[in-house]
Amino acid sequence: MANKFYITTPIYYVNAAPHIGHSYTTIAADTISRYKRKQLGKENVWFLTGTDEHGQKIQKAADEAKLTPQEFVDKVVLQFKGLWNKLEITPNDFIRTTEERHIKTVQRVLEILHNKEAGGQKLIYSSKYEGWYCTPCETFWPETQITEQLCPDCKRKVEKISETNYFFRLSIYQDWLVKYIEDNVNFVSPQSRREEVLSFLRHNKLNDLCISRPKERLNWGIPLPFSPEHVTYVWFDALINYISAVGNFNEKGKYQSKWWQDDVEIVHLIGKDILRHHAIYWPILLHALGVRMPDKIFAHGWWLIDDTKMSKSRGNAINPIEMVDRYGIDTYRYFLLRDVPFGLDGNFSEQAIVKRFNGDLANDLGNLVYRTLTMIEKYYQGEVPEKGKLDEQGMVIEKLIKELPEKLAIPTEVLNFSLSLEYIWDLISLPNKYVEETKPWNLAKENKTKELKSFIRVLVDAIREVADELYPFMPKTSESIKEQLGTDRIKKGNPLFPRIDTKTKA
């Protein structure tokens, strides 16, 4: 196991306000970083998120808002930072592509690659481009991939363009990349995404990547150091954030970083719609620079509304802040991580949130905590009883308590949050069942004091373990449970999750 851990989200494009998709990736990254901090220590984990602030869509949105591009991005960035604060997201750093540290690194990368050759050919070359261009995707498309003048990705109209640009010789690394992905089975995850990338690479010849735009067409971008008339293509600029945030290139062109070394596990979390950029452009770019690969690029699925992709352009994006205000931070986090296995698509609905709230959170977790604290108040005046001899069912619960940390290690490592939470809920369900079957009120009536003490104490131990393991997923809930349980004396509060009345709730 690596000694250090570095996790990133994509940097989010700030042409409009954040939606659920943004919060999904960031909550997942926050969860795994909290888990790793418990495991490796805070000082050995680095969690990066940020914003992508250049390109044609930003320039267009700024013009429409009657602001300069910089004024526009400064304004929207506050919405992303505000949302992360509200969701109790705990990044170590927030990178903006308009920051000097990023601009300098992008220009240094361009210089290094511009001066390099491979197989007797310059890695960056100038060429006239004639073909189709999609402004919303900011992508050039070859004639062979265009039907009815529509973009293959977003299905919107493309325009015919003819201009001189700079290209990165992506195509010469195609065979290398196929072999690398084949040899490193976890590099692209989950398995379905790995197969998707390999299938694409085996059946399509890679085109060289256009890495510039003429300033006369797009002024809002990082200037090319070797051609002041051009700015850097937004995707080339954006990918470099993962290294610009944590290190730099020395005079000899060698990359140096505490968080990009062999003893660090490096994980990129992304949505499946940007898989090609991360699983094809990015590794080739790193390879050309002589920089080590990340360990894992994990592409999760989309949240859908009635089986349709949620997006700003479709106007069906859900506002995360509204959901948090309605149901609470931890309910929102729990629903996103539990309802759908990470990697698959899921349908978002408030009915599904309410169902999880009333079932898993109110009936199961909230009920177990509240009824246990109530019994401690009633039978022991708020003092946590000492351990005693357990009956058979109590011993089963104790065994589960001891096994849970190890049981959670594998699904959490492979980012199967849903399964991790299922294991935690096993340790919630069993004590609830224990209460129903043991009927502690009968033990009290029959004056079975030792049995009652042992019974309540194993419930307390189970709840403590649940609170501990729940922390990465639901930090506020975990802290609230720990506070109410105390060490020797309890401090009972209101029920954690008062049931939502579905008759009055829309």
Side-chain angles (χ1 to χ4, degrees):
M1 190 177 74
N3 301 323
K4 297 193 191 87
F5 185 75
Y6 175 37
I7 189 162
T8 70
T9 70
I11 48 172
Y12 301 114
Y13 207 52
V14 292
N15 60 325
H19 60 69
I20 268 183
H22 301 114
S23 65
Y24 186 42
T25 324
T26 316
I27 285 168
D30 183 67
T31 299
I32 197 70
S33 66
R34 286 175 185 270
Y35 178 80
K36 287 289 186 178
R37 284 172 195 146
K38 274 178 64 187
Q39 193 181 48
L40 302 173
K42 285 182 183 177
E43 69 286 356
N44 293 318
V45 175
W46 201 256
F47 166 23
L48 175 72
T49 189
T51 43
D52 181 4
E53 303 180 18
H54 291 124
Q56 213 154 356
K57 283 188 278 189
I58 301 285
Q59 193 167 288
K60 187 170 179 284
D63 290 344
E64 286 169 3
K66 295 184 170 52
L67 296 167
T68 67
Q70 190 65 57
E71 285 169 342
F72 178 81
V73 296
D74 286 348
K75 200 173 172 184
V76 183
V77 161
L78 294 176
Q79 293 180 44
F80 280 86
K81 287 187 170 180
L83 178 59
W84 304 155
N85 284 336
K86 191 169 181 75
L87 290 173
E88 304 214 334
I89 304 290
T90 54
N92 295 89
D93 194 5
F94 188 104
I95 181 86
R96 296 180 60 184
T97 56
T98 50
E99 288 178 52
E100 194 62 30
R101 59 174 170 161
H102 178 73
I103 293 167
K104 277 183 177 173
T105 305
V106 170
Q107 291 184 320
R108 185 80 177 101
V109 164
L110 287 163
E111 277 174 353
I112 292 165
L113 294 176
H114 190 245
N115 294 330
K116 269 194 174 188
E117 286 189 359
Q121 296 177 300
K122 282 183 74 68
L123 284 186
I124 290 180
Y125 63 93
S126 171
S127 178
K128 190 169 184 184
Y129 176 85
E130 284 187 354
W132 299 100
Y133 184 71
C134 173
T135 299
C137 293
E138 306 203 21
T139 302
F140 287 107
W141 293 101
E143 190 81 46
T144 52
Q145 289 183 262
I146 297 294
T147 51
E148 298 177 11
Q149 293 187 19
L150 296 177
C151 169
D153 272 1
C154 73
K155 309 301 178 199
R156 282 174 280 198
K157 281 278 181 189
V158 288
E159 57 181 316
K160 200 75 179 263
I161 274 180
S162 173
E163 61 190 27
T164 299
N165 271 312
Y166 284 86
F167 291 78
F168 171 56
R169 220 175 278 279
L170 204 70
S171 54
I172 63 171
Y173 295 106
Q174 184 158 357
D175 292 343
W176 166 81
L177 183 59
V178 169
K179 187 172 188 318
Y180 189 84
I181 295 171
E182 284 173 344
D183 292 348
N184 296 272
V185 291
N186 295 317
F187 179 59
V188 179
S189 294
Q191 180 68 18
S192 58
R193 302 291 162 229
R194 179 175 180 266
E195 286 165 9
E196 184 185 320
V197 173
L198 282 172
S199 174
F200 176 81
L201 289 168
R202 286 168 182 155
H203 296 102
N204 297 277
K205 190 179 183 309
L206 281 183
N207 296 305
D208 289 340
L209 180 66
C210 181
I211 61 165
S212 71
R213 299 291 182 263
K215 263 194 173 176
E216 61 194 33
R217 185 158 67 82
L218 172 65
N219 196 39
W220 184 241
I222 298 173
L224 261 61
F226 44 80
S227 179
E229 304 85 45
H230 288 85
V231 297
T232 311
Y233 168 47
V234 66
W235 261 112
F236 187 91
D237 155 11
L239 288 165
I240 291 165
N241 91 88
Y242 303 125
I243 56 175
S244 70
V246 292
N248 51 54
F249 289 86
N250 66 16
E251 286 177 10
K252 293 179 180 175
K254 184 174 166 55
Y255 181 67
Q256 303 168 124
S257 168
K258 175 189 173 182
W259 296 105
W260 206 281
Q261 294 180 7
D262 290 341
D263 66 339
V264 184
E265 183 186 353
I266 302 167
V267 175
H268 296 318
L269 285 194
I270 59 167
K272 66 177 183 178
D273 50 332
I274 52 174
L275 177 63
R276 200 172 296 176
H277 305 83
H278 284 81
I280 296 175
Y281 301 170
W282 182 228
I284 287 176
L285 185 54
L286 289 171
H287 183 61
L289 289 164
V291 177
R292 67 153 280 193
M293 295 297 117
D295 294 279
K296 185 179 287 185
I297 297 160
F298 193 104
H300 64 71
W302 292 331
W303 280 102
L304 310 170
I305 299 280
D306 300 324
D307 294 313
T308 304
K309 189 194 172 192
M310 196 185 296
S311 72
K312 292 175 281 196
S313 57
R314 285 189 175 91
N316 66 348
I318 301 279
N319 184 339
I321 289 174
E322 284 177 17
M323 294 300 103
V324 169
D325 287 344
R326 208 166 292 166
Y327 301 105
I329 295 167
D330 279 4
T331 303
Y332 181 69
R333 286 176 69 114
Y334 177 76
F335 173 77
L336 293 182
L337 296 173
R338 177 73 194 269
D339 216 56
V340 177
F342 198 61
L344 301 181
D345 291 346
N347 264 304
F348 185 91
S349 75
E350 288 196 58
Q351 290 92 331
I353 294 181
V354 171
K355 193 177 174 187
R356 285 284 179 195
F357 186 99
N358 282 343
D360 302 0
L361 300 179
N363 283 2
D364 298 344
L365 175 59
N367 190 31
L368 176 64
V369 173
Y370 196 75
R371 76 202 310 191
T372 302
L373 293 172
T374 302
M375 286 189 281
I376 295 169
E377 264 185 349
K378 185 176 179 180
Y379 301 127
Y380 303 106
Q381 293 73 51
E383 232 177 86
V384 177
E386 290 175 5
K387 285 189 177 187
K389 193 180 176 187
L390 294 167
D391 61 15
E392 197 177 328
Q393 211 172 345
M395 280 157 60
V396 171
I397 294 170
E398 193 172 59
K399 186 171 181 280
L400 200 57
I401 292 168
K402 286 174 184 167
E403 288 172 351
L404 188 59
E406 199 177 329
K407 214 174 169 189
L408 287 175
I410 294 168
T412 313
E413 286 291 334
V414 299
L415 308 180
N416 191 340
F417 303 113
S418 186
L419 184 58
S420 297
L421 286 164
E422 205 175 298
Y423 286 156
I424 293 171
W425 250 254
D426 287 344
L427 186 53
I428 294 167
S429 302
L430 205 59
N432 269 327
K433 193 180 170 196
Y434 190 32
V435 175
E436 301 304 328
E437 290 177 359
T438 304
K439 298 180 175 57
W441 45 92
N442 286 344
L443 293 178
K445 272 183 202 169
E446 293 161 21
N447 214 22
K448 293 183 175 177
T449 52
K450 283 184 182 175
E451 289 89 338
L452 184 61
K453 273 186 180 179
S454 302
F455 166 82
I456 288 177
R457 180 53 192 255
V458 82
L459 296 185
V460 169
D461 292 344
I463 294 166
R464 280 193 177 134
E465 183 58 31
V466 163
D468 200 40
E469 300 303 343
L470 207 52
Y471 175 75
F473 305 89
M474 302 171 72
K476 275 181 93 76
T477 301
S478 167
E479 284 162 3
S480 176
I481 293 170
K482 286 176 180 177
E483 193 183 325
Q484 289 190 51
L485 270 180
T487 45
D488 302 319
R489 288 199 68 81
I490 64 158
K491 197 164 73 179
K492 189 174 88 167
N494 294 323
L496 292 168
F497 301 98
R499 280 181 62 82
I500 295 168
D501 185 350
T502 50
K503 288 170 189 168
T504 59
K505 189 83 192 166

